[in-house]
Amino acid sequence: MEVQGQWAEVFEGSDRQEDSGGEGELLGSSTVTLAPLVANPPPPPVRRSQPLVIHKSRMNSVGLSSVPSIPNPFPELCSPSQSPVLIGSLSPPRSDTHLIKVFGEDSHSRSLWVIPRATARDVCHLLVQTAHCSDQENWALIELHSALGLERVLEDHEVVVEVQAAWPSESDTKLLFRKNYAKYEFFRTPVLFFPKHMISDSADVTKGMTSAELIQNLLQSGTCPEIQGFLHVREPSRKAWKKVYFFLRRSGLYCSTKGSSKEPRHLQYVADLEDLNVYSITNSRKLYGAPVDFTFCVKPSKDRIRAQDLKLLCAENEQTRTCWTSAFRLFKYGRQLHCNYQLSQSAPRLQEVVSQRCESEASLVAMDFSGKAGGRVIQNAWEAQSAEREEGQAWRRREALRCSLPNLTPGSRPSSIHRTQLWFHGGVSRKQAQRLIEEQGLVDGMFLIRESQQHAQCFVLSLCYKLKTKHYLVIPPLPVTKGVPQGWILSPMLCSIYINNIAQCEEDGRKYYTMDDGLTLFIDLLQLVEFHQINKGILPVCLKHPCVCVAL
């Protein structure tokens, strides 16, 4: 190495001195630096830090509480305090943990390590956080047996590992994570779930108490009224179905051997409710030859699921099936089910706007703020309807003015904005839309929007009301000169309505969507949904719960 300038070699910390002969230099542990030949004194040597080994005995003697803790930048990826669900690497954090796999509705899965006592509520809470769901309410774990067409919602207190232990070792059974709005809906609207004609005559309704009051009192006490009615039952080892009169009581499930007689000598014991699980069946006509699609089954909860062990039952309609399955759950779990409902109500919500929304439309009142003394409640029904019409017209004028502003041209809000919304499901069929709504719970106000398969460039609003799915055609903004689009099959009345609607939608050179013959116009589907979330319009109920599919 060449060094330019006047520099000198300086040795420090030499272990040996030069010998008297000066024939060589022996250096031990020395440091070599280059110092300029100037009058100023050399700078002090640089002392570099060395790693220090801390023995275990010293760690125990030194208190580590004084060391400042580093905040976790990703708290949502860590398990909450006292949670039985463990988030971590692929290796199990503890020897007593179990690996479970949960599927989303997009067929993707997520694996989780949980302790043996982890409940369905704990797993749902974790999946809501890891999947970054917009809200943490109304989620459920579904036990799905694809080959048999069986599925049931796990109760919040059920232990997931124990449920999986009852599955066959080689089967397609899996856990599914999705929305379910109807899990506790019978606590909110019991009359809809327990019709009067299905309540047993032995129920005490003669003491000045209506059937609605009786059902409400029973549900609050953690029980259920006795249920009775005809069901189709599949005979053992045969494909034939027979209509039999059943009774569901606290002591178990019974059937009558003589019509609808309730005499003890005519009642036959069928099953004990403490040891039963109830499943709903999909595609029951194809799999089991059921007379209608409203089929469910009961089976012992501790036995492995086999087709020959299933007790297949078929109701006349969806309301009847929902009544029977809800009564099974209430008789089996009792107050535990009511406690689960109360816990779900007291759980913290991520969306404060949703938590502040009124639970019932009956709590909404018409207000008049035109006076100087503040608002007043409009008591007269005719005046309230008039105020509603005026507010609707004022809303239309505001929207028309907003859309006519230079900086808010139609191009600034793309017509395909609905494709980014969770409630839009593309080109699913009518049957698939009904299936999606049924899977997430038949509650009033659940909806989705899809593309019409019969009418080109049209959309359909599918809405659930009173346990039934209704479909409303949304007419697109097309010029009237084009007439009825090619491929449409319309009656003369609907054709004339379409022409009139398009003529009104093209007013002032602007295109709109409509569902009510042009009385209410919307610039896009997003505006249509936002309007009907606070106004019923022609719908029987406001839009409340969007039918969404989450990806894990």
Side-chain angles (χ1 to χ4, degrees):
M1 180 179 66
E2 296 183 1
V3 181
Q4 298 180 357
Q6 297 181 352
W7 296 80
E9 237 177 352
V10 180
F11 300 94
E12 297 181 2
S14 176
D15 292 344
R16 299 186 181 183
Q17 301 293 333
E18 295 180 3
D19 58 359
S20 58
E23 295 180 356
E25 295 179 8
L26 297 176
L27 297 179
S29 299
S30 61
T31 60
V32 180
T33 61
L34 294 178
L37 295 177
V38 292
N40 294 333
V46 179
R47 295 183 179 274
R48 303 185 184 275
S49 60
Q50 299 293 331
L52 178 63
V53 179
I54 302 178
H55 299 282
K56 186 175 181 180
S57 59
R58 183 177 178 183
M59 293 178 60
N60 296 334
S61 60
V62 178
L64 299 178
S65 60
S66 60
V67 180
S69 61
I70 301 176
N72 182 11
F74 305 104
E76 68 276 4
L77 300 181
C78 298
S79 299
S81 178
Q82 305 299 329
S83 173
V85 184
L86 304 174
I87 311 174
S89 59
L90 295 178
S91 58
R94 285 164 33 183
S95 59
D96 60 341
T97 55
H98 296 265
L99 181 65
I100 64 172
K101 181 181 289 188
V102 183
F103 289 82
E105 293 180 283
D106 58 349
S107 300
H108 291 81
S109 63
R110 183 181 293 269
S111 298
L112 306 171
W113 288 102
V114 299
I115 65 173
R117 301 304 301 173
T119 62
R121 181 190 293 110
D122 300 323
V123 178
C124 285
H125 179 71
L126 173 66
L127 291 172
V128 165
Q129 291 182 336
T130 56
H132 304 286
C133 301
S134 59
D135 65 326
Q136 60 182 16
E137 293 182 314
N138 305 310
W139 293 98
L141 281 183
I142 312 297
E143 179 185 356
L144 181 63
H145 304 264
S146 302
L148 299 176
L150 307 181
E151 66 176 47
R152 76 176 182 98
V153 179
L154 295 188
E155 304 297 344
D156 288 344
H157 66 277
E158 285 192 82
V159 179
V160 179
V161 176
E162 294 179 358
V163 172
Q164 286 187 325
W167 296 352
S169 56
E170 297 180 358
S171 67
D172 59 349
T173 308
K174 60 184 179 180
L175 290 175
L176 193 65
F177 177 65
R178 70 178 177 214
K179 279 280 189 182
N180 188 279
Y181 295 96
K183 193 189 323 187
Y184 302 115
E185 190 66 18
F186 51 79
F187 285 113
R188 304 182 183 97
T189 56
V191 179
L192 180 62
F193 282 78
F194 299 99
K196 186 176 180 180
H197 69 274
M198 293 188 63
I199 300 177
S200 176
D201 296 336
S202 60
D204 189 7
V205 295
T206 61
K207 298 182 179 179
M209 184 181 299
T210 63
S211 59
E213 294 173 344
L214 172 66
I215 296 173
Q216 190 67 44
N217 291 340
L218 290 174
L219 293 181
Q220 292 178 355
S221 62
T223 185
C224 178
E226 295 182 2
I227 303 299
Q228 62 182 11
F230 280 103
L231 290 173
H232 298 272
V233 58
R234 187 179 183 181
E235 298 182 4
S237 68
R238 295 182 60 186
K239 295 184 178 180
W241 290 75
K242 183 180 179 181
K243 198 171 185 178
V244 181
Y245 204 83
F246 282 88
F247 299 89
L248 185 60
R249 300 174 177 176
R250 184 185 296 273
S251 56
L253 178 65
Y254 301 86
C255 67
S256 177
T257 58
K258 186 178 180 180
S260 58
S261 174
K262 294 187 292 184
E263 297 184 14
R265 61 192 180 95
H266 294 151
L267 293 183
Q268 181 180 353
Y269 183 76
V270 177
D272 182 14
L273 302 183
E274 295 295 331
D275 189 40
L276 286 183
N277 280 333
V278 57
Y279 295 82
S280 60
I281 302 179
T282 59
N283 201 13
S284 58
R285 286 189 175 183
K286 180 178 180 180
L287 293 176
Y288 303 103
V292 289
D293 289 327
F294 312 107
T295 312
F296 64 99
C297 74
V298 293
K299 78 160 215 62
S301 56
K302 297 181 181 180
D303 296 341
R304 295 186 179 273
I305 294 182
R306 299 181 304 175
Q308 57 268 28
D309 297 334
L310 302 179
K311 189 71 173 181
L312 301 176
L313 304 170
C314 184
E316 294 291 341
N317 50 55
E318 182 61 36
Q319 185 182 34
T320 304
R321 179 173 70 167
T322 304
C323 177
W324 282 99
T325 55
S326 302
F328 269 104
R329 295 172 57 202
L330 283 166
F331 276 127
K332 180 177 180 179
Y333 297 110
R335 289 202 58 83
Q336 180 64 58
L337 208 60
H338 192 260
C339 292
N340 294 346
Y341 167 66
Q342 292 177 332
L343 286 175
S344 66
Q345 292 295 103
S346 61
R349 302 184 180 186
L350 297 180
Q351 291 182 336
E352 295 296 334
V353 176
V354 178
S355 63
Q356 296 174 1
R357 182 176 295 177
C358 298
E359 296 182 358
S360 174
E361 295 180 12
S363 61
L364 301 177
V365 295
M367 299 289 295
D368 179 17
F369 296 96
S370 59
K372 297 182 179 180
R376 67 178 181 89
V377 178
I378 301 178
Q379 303 289 347
N380 187 281
W382 294 103
E383 185 181 359
Q385 293 180 359
S386 177
E388 181 181 2
R389 287 193 297 268
E390 293 178 0
E391 178 63 23
Q393 294 174 359
W395 178 85
R396 288 182 58 188
R397 288 193 295 268
R398 289 195 303 268
E399 289 297 317
L401 177 61
R402 182 178 68 85
C403 296
S404 63
L405 295 177
N407 59 341
L408 287 177
T409 57
S412 64
R413 188 170 184 176
S415 59
S416 61
I417 191 174
H418 56 271
R419 299 188 179 276
T420 63
Q421 304 302 312
L422 296 177
W423 39 256
F424 184 73
H425 289 256
V428 299
S429 63
R430 180 189 183 101
K431 187 175 182 179
Q432 290 173 331
Q434 293 181 176
R435 178 61 185 163
L436 285 173
I437 293 178
E438 290 175 3
E439 288 178 346
Q440 300 192 13
L442 291 171
V443 296
D444 291 351
M446 179 180 292
F447 71 98
L448 62 86
I449 292 183
R450 56 187 174 88
E451 297 174 350
S452 176
Q453 293 188 332
Q454 295 183 355
H455 310 303
Q457 303 181 19
C458 271
F459 300 93
V460 177
L461 171 65
S462 300
L463 174 67
C464 178
Y465 180 64
K466 290 187 177 180
L467 301 178
K468 296 181 180 180
T469 303
K470 301 179 180 294
H471 306 273
Y472 299 87
L473 183 65
V474 181
I475 297 178
L478 294 177
V480 69
T481 56
K482 294 184 179 181
V484 179
Q486 185 178 3
W488 279 32
I489 304 176
L490 302 180
S491 63
M493 179 180 297
L494 184 56
C495 183
S496 62
I497 292 176
Y498 171 77
I499 296 297
N500 294 333
N501 285 339
I502 297 304
Q504 295 181 21
C505 290
E506 288 293 317
E507 186 179 357
D508 299 330
R510 192 174 297 277
K511 300 177 181 179
Y512 298 93
Y513 290 88
T514 183
M515 284 197 311
D516 54 3
D517 300 343
L519 296 178
T520 311
L521 307 177
F522 307 96
I523 60 175
D524 51 37
L525 295 180
L526 180 60
Q527 189 184 68
L528 182 146
V529 170
E530 291 175 347
F531 175 84
H532 287 95
Q533 285 178 333
I534 57 177
N535 303 278
K536 291 192 299 184
I538 65 169
L539 304 178
V541 66
C542 291
L543 305 181
K544 296 179 181 178
H545 308 295
C547 184
V548 301
C549 294
V550 65
L552 293 179

